[in-house]
Amino acid sequence: MFTGIVQGVGRIVRSEALGFGRRLTIHAPKLGLDDVRVGDSIAVNGACMTVTSKAAIEFTIDVSAESLSKTAGLDAQGAVNLEKSMRLGDRVDGHLVSGHVDGTGTVAVMEQRGESWLLIVEAPATLARYFAYKGSVTVNGVSLTVNQVEDVLRGAERTGCRIWINLIPHTVAVTTLAQLRPGDRVNLEVDMLVRYVERMLALQSR
């Protein structure tokens, strides 16, 4: 379990083929690995991964073909947001995040507005029903608040939605979100509470 509060930006420095998956070596000098053990969970761009080996400032993870097909940014070298799993009793400054990416979205807008930044992400139809005004979303492992939801329609069919997010300067400074450009794919995890609400409503309607 995670909170969506990024603890450090690392970098995938090696990506090796592992049958159908990949073994990634992540350079993470800002994360602090002294208390990390092999087998621990670390969220890498929002995806919960298991540490398979570690050194002073690096660790490795094995990413399955299934995870590669459902995520973005875990198949090549580059900067990634990192968060160690939370402990019972930790403060939840973001929101409860499972690290199970629900799908990917596409950046439509990333531009500065005054001292802040406007991020607009296009989400697919399979996820569109889970976003709400002032609800929570995890984008590349970062806990964020949805400021506006705009359905994308093709005739009477909803083909997805756009979610509008305001990024404060601190968030831009301590995460990889500043590197986003229109057309980039991002990992999305919806608020887990809406999953339970959906299930309960589905059972009540039977």
Side-chain angles (χ1 to χ4, degrees):
M1 192 70 70
F2 306 91
T3 67
I5 302 299
V6 171
Q7 296 171 326
V9 172
R11 186 169 189 83
I12 299 173
V13 293
R14 282 191 298 280
S15 177
E16 308 166 76
L18 266 185
F20 296 108
R22 313 252 352 143
R23 173 165 293 162
L24 306 181
T25 301
I26 300 174
H27 186 69
K30 295 182 179 180
L31 184 61
L33 297 176
D34 291 345
D35 60 344
V36 173
R37 299 173 298 178
V38 171
D40 285 355
S41 295
I42 293 179
V44 181
N45 262 12
C48 178
M49 295 292 161
T50 300
V51 175
T52 55
S53 70
K54 59 160 283 191
I57 56 174
E58 288 186 347
F59 65 95
T60 63
I61 58 173
D62 292 346
V63 187
S64 68
E66 172 69 11
S67 293
L68 290 173
S69 71
K70 296 294 191 296
T71 60
L74 298 181
D75 56 354
Q77 296 184 15
V80 287
N81 294 318
L82 302 173
E83 181 189 353
K84 292 181 280 191
S85 58
M86 64 184 295
R87 299 184 177 93
L88 288 176
D90 282 353
R91 293 173 58 178
V92 183
D93 291 320
H95 70 283
L96 292 177
V97 175
S98 69
H100 300 155
V101 174
D102 291 301
T104 61
T106 303
V107 175
V109 175
M110 178 62 176
E111 62 184 29
Q112 192 162 10
R113 296 284 182 91
E115 73 282 0
S116 299
W117 291 76
L118 172 64
L119 171 63
I120 301 177
V121 178
E122 294 182 349
T126 52
L127 299 182
R129 65 183 180 274
Y130 297 118
F131 300 113
Y133 172 65
K134 296 302 180 186
S136 296
V137 62
T138 309
V139 179
N140 279 358
V142 185
S143 172
L144 299 167
T145 300
V146 176
N147 290 331
Q148 181 178 334
V149 181
E150 174 189 9
D151 286 324
V152 178
L153 302 175
R154 182 176 297 165
E157 179 187 2
R158 182 174 60 192
T159 59
C161 73
R162 287 184 165 199
I163 53 175
W164 299 54
I165 299 165
N166 180 73
L167 301 176
I168 64 172
H170 175 77
T171 301
V172 173
V174 300
T175 69
T176 64
L177 298 184
Q179 302 174 25
L180 293 178
R181 298 293 181 268
D184 287 348
R185 292 171 60 228
V186 290
N187 296 323
L188 299 176
E189 181 184 331
V190 303
D191 189 336
M192 66 175 66
L193 294 179
V194 302
R195 294 284 191 190
Y196 293 101
V197 172
E198 179 184 48
R199 175 63 174 164
M200 289 186 291
L201 291 176
L203 291 174
Q204 289 176 0
S205 65
R206 292 180 181 176

